[in-house]
Amino acid sequence: MNPHKANQSLRDNIVNAPRLFSPFPSMTIIETERLLLREFETADIDSLAYIFADAEVMKFSRGIKSREETRAWLAKCSNNYSSFGFGLWAVVEKSGQEVIGYCGLSCFPDICGQKEVEVGYRLARSRWGFGFATEAALAVREYGFNVVGLERLIALVDPDNTASIRVARKIGMEFEKEAFLEGYDYPDHVYSIEKQPGDKERNRVIASRGE
């Protein structure tokens, strides 16, 4: 095969918003118009601890995290990179090179008896309302389908978390069912999406709207 045609084919398979090859350091996984998604580093502890200490940000999780809990969370991320080849990545705002949260893929061995991979996201409160969560989640969705080779993705969302529900819907997910997770006394909602031939076109529509 002509190498120029092969390279063009590869570029055509990478949907508009995320660029998987960037001029930034090799730890960068995805680049979008305004964001970089990269593997977490131990040096990210200060930025992440600040985000995880915000009760409003952590409202729909198991509560705020201490600095030591945040350190353990970072270690788990590093283990997941090694174990699965993916994980939750640092979301870096290009304009200031600041870590503003995380977005990525998490493997769940048993959601209602089925192994699932989730698109997860959480951003600093100061970055809410600018479309960053949708931009990052859409890029991760395309990475999951087109690079990892997944056929299905989910989002586990608290039924009262309307902002996260909006993000899930904007990246093409629909409500599927309820699921009880360990440690919770009420069900989360499972939103899901299957890989479809029209994914590329849906991404163009969402990107053009700036959602």
Side-chain angles (χ1 to χ4, degrees):
M1 178 182 287
N2 184 311
H4 296 292
K5 289 184 178 179
N7 288 338
Q8 182 61 50
S9 177
L10 177 59
R11 285 193 291 270
D12 289 344
N13 286 332
I14 298 173
V15 182
N16 284 347
R19 288 196 293 152
L20 308 179
F21 305 98
S22 81
F24 293 89
S26 59
M27 70 171 60
T28 299
I29 307 299
I30 305 171
E31 181 187 354
T32 72
E33 181 180 353
R34 299 180 294 172
L35 304 171
L36 298 176
L37 275 68
R38 62 162 172 78
E39 293 185 356
F40 275 107
E41 306 170 335
T42 54
D44 295 322
I45 181 72
D46 289 338
S47 298
L48 200 60
Y50 177 81
I51 294 169
F52 283 174
D54 187 329
E56 189 65 21
V57 171
M58 306 299 286
K59 180 178 179 180
F60 296 107
S61 68
R62 289 184 170 88
I64 62 173
K65 293 184 184 297
S66 68
R67 188 176 182 84
E68 285 309 307
E69 288 171 327
T70 302
R71 196 184 308 277
W73 188 93
L74 283 171
K76 183 177 179 181
C77 284
S78 180
N79 289 337
N80 287 340
Y81 301 151
S82 299
S83 298
F84 303 113
F86 56 77
L88 295 174
W89 299 303
V91 176
V92 180
E93 189 175 358
K94 283 184 183 179
S95 60
Q97 289 296 297
E98 179 183 358
V99 174
I100 63 171
Y102 70 75
C103 186
L105 300 169
S106 296
C107 188
F108 285 82
D110 185 4
I111 300 295
C112 300
Q114 182 174 341
K115 183 178 179 180
E116 301 279 13
V117 176
E118 183 200 28
V119 178
Y121 38 88
R122 192 181 304 276
L123 299 183
R125 189 165 16 146
S126 63
R127 297 304 190 271
W128 293 359
F130 296 99
F132 289 131
T134 300
E135 185 173 329
L138 183 61
V140 168
R141 186 199 77 173
E142 293 307 315
Y143 187 93
F145 285 154
N146 297 324
V147 179
V148 181
L150 301 170
E151 296 296 322
R152 169 182 164 89
L153 290 165
I154 68 165
L156 296 165
V157 187
D158 187 294
D160 293 329
N161 192 345
T162 55
S164 286
I165 290 171
R166 282 197 299 271
V167 172
R169 287 176 170 163
K170 284 179 179 179
I171 67 170
M173 293 185 173
E174 298 291 342
F175 173 76
E176 181 180 317
K177 59 190 173 186
E178 294 183 340
F180 276 92
L181 302 182
E182 184 178 353
Y184 287 83
D185 57 5
Y186 62 90
D188 265 4
H189 283 185
V190 178
Y191 285 76
S192 65
I193 183 172
E194 307 278 342
K195 185 176 182 179
Q196 301 291 336
D199 279 342
K200 186 177 293 187
E201 185 57 36
R202 277 203 303 275
N203 187 65
R204 289 196 186 99
V205 171
I206 291 173
S208 68
R209 291 174 180 166
E211 296 178 354

